[in-house]
Amino acid sequence: MLFSQSSVDFGLRLINESVSEVLQITNQGDADLDLLAVSPTCGCLSTDFTGRMTLAPGENTGIRVFHEVRAMPSSTSESLRFVFPGYQLESVPVTVEFTRPIKADPTYLDLDRIDSGELTLRSLDERPFRILSVMGEAPAPADGFQPLEPSPIQRITWDLSKFDKELCQSVNGVPMPKWIVIETDHPDAPLVDVRVRHYPCTVLDLPLQETRDWYLNTHRVILGQFEPGATSLV
């Protein structure tokens, strides 16, 4: 058998964007080829494969691959496993990265490794923007950058060294943040959140216990800016 591509790379996609692509399979042999099953390694992936099919020599078919819509920045590196009776299991990697209209690099801050560094923010539509605040305070610019001057690329410094990694708080009792929240004047990304990872201080408290009848399918919801007295339906 021959796949039209060795992997499915959806590339960089915006959050809340529907993602799918057709993977072509061709029978290059001189006998019928049976496709018994297509199994994703992640619940985030699915296909339009409905059941066993047989490809005659030279025949091809298309399998559409879907990735679930993501409401927050994240990446996927999984696989689709194709079962052809009489042949070894065929695995096709599937990758994608979801981001907001302003992409943060790195995508998360690894406090298990470092407690300060630089953060680059890039406007995917190349629209110049300013960084207005970081966690409610004035941004700390990296060398050569001016966050309050419009630019499609901004770079700032971050420093979380004041937080004790065992007590999970600062000397003033402020809890270690689970996200760094950045305010910009980009119309499509007024807030950019960057995950802070440190075990166990920033482990997310999601209600996934078996005793609950419900659970949250996202870690947080960004509602944007509110006028005094305004409300929003989530």
Side-chain angles (χ1 to χ4, degrees):
M1 79 291 296
L2 174 68
F3 292 94
S4 58
Q5 54 202 77
S6 59
S7 65
V8 177
D9 183 3
F10 290 118
L12 191 63
R13 300 299 185 100
L14 292 176
I15 58 173
N16 298 317
E17 179 181 354
S18 298
V19 177
S20 71
E21 187 171 319
V22 175
L23 180 65
Q24 296 288 338
I25 305 173
T26 303
N27 180 5
Q28 289 189 310
D30 53 9
D32 287 351
L33 177 67
D34 293 325
L35 175 57
L36 181 61
V38 181
S39 175
T41 59
C42 170
C44 59
L45 299 177
S46 62
T47 72
D48 62 357
F49 180 76
T50 57
R52 182 169 185 156
M53 65 171 57
T54 300
L55 298 178
E59 185 180 2
N60 76 309
T61 188
I63 303 293
R64 182 167 289 278
V65 182
F66 302 90
H67 193 291
E68 68 177 3
V69 174
R70 290 284 175 87
M72 59 184 179
S74 60
S75 61
T76 293
S77 181
E78 297 289 343
S79 297
L80 290 174
R81 295 174 294 191
F82 293 79
V83 180
F84 298 95
Y87 297 88
Q88 66 180 12
L89 194 70
E90 294 287 338
S91 183
V92 176
V94 180
T95 56
V96 63
E97 181 179 356
F98 291 93
T99 182
R100 300 192 186 282
I102 291 180
K103 184 181 184 302
D105 183 23
T107 55
Y108 66 91
L109 307 183
D110 186 1
L111 259 65
D112 291 322
R113 188 173 59 88
I114 57 175
D115 54 20
S116 63
E118 293 187 352
L119 184 65
T120 300
L121 301 171
R122 176 169 61 92
S123 172
L124 296 185
D125 61 6
E126 298 186 353
R127 181 180 302 181
F129 67 97
R130 297 180 300 154
I131 296 179
L132 305 180
S133 68
V134 179
M135 299 297 283
E137 299 181 355
D143 290 344
F145 287 83
Q146 296 295 330
L148 295 179
E149 296 295 328
S151 173
I153 298 178
Q154 299 281 6
R155 186 170 298 156
I156 58 176
T157 63
W158 61 274
D159 189 343
L160 297 177
S161 59
K162 68 180 181 180
F163 294 97
D164 188 293
K165 294 183 179 180
E166 294 184 359
L167 299 177
C168 302
Q169 63 183 21
S170 69
V171 293
N172 297 324
V174 177
M176 181 183 292
K178 297 179 180 180
W179 285 275
I180 295 296
V181 180
I182 302 166
E183 180 187 8
T184 83
D185 64 355
H186 191 292
D188 297 327
L191 294 176
V192 178
D193 54 335
V194 181
R195 182 80 167 94
V196 177
R197 292 184 179 178
H198 173 67
Y199 184 84
C201 297
T202 66
V203 174
L204 298 175
D205 182 20
L206 297 179
L208 298 177
Q209 295 90 344
E210 295 180 357
T211 56
R212 289 184 182 266
D213 295 327
W214 58 274
Y215 70 96
L216 298 175
N217 64 357
T218 187
H219 300 151
R220 73 271 185 245
V221 177
I222 291 184
L223 300 179
Q225 297 175 331
F226 276 72
E227 296 295 331
T231 61
S232 178
L233 178 64
V234 179

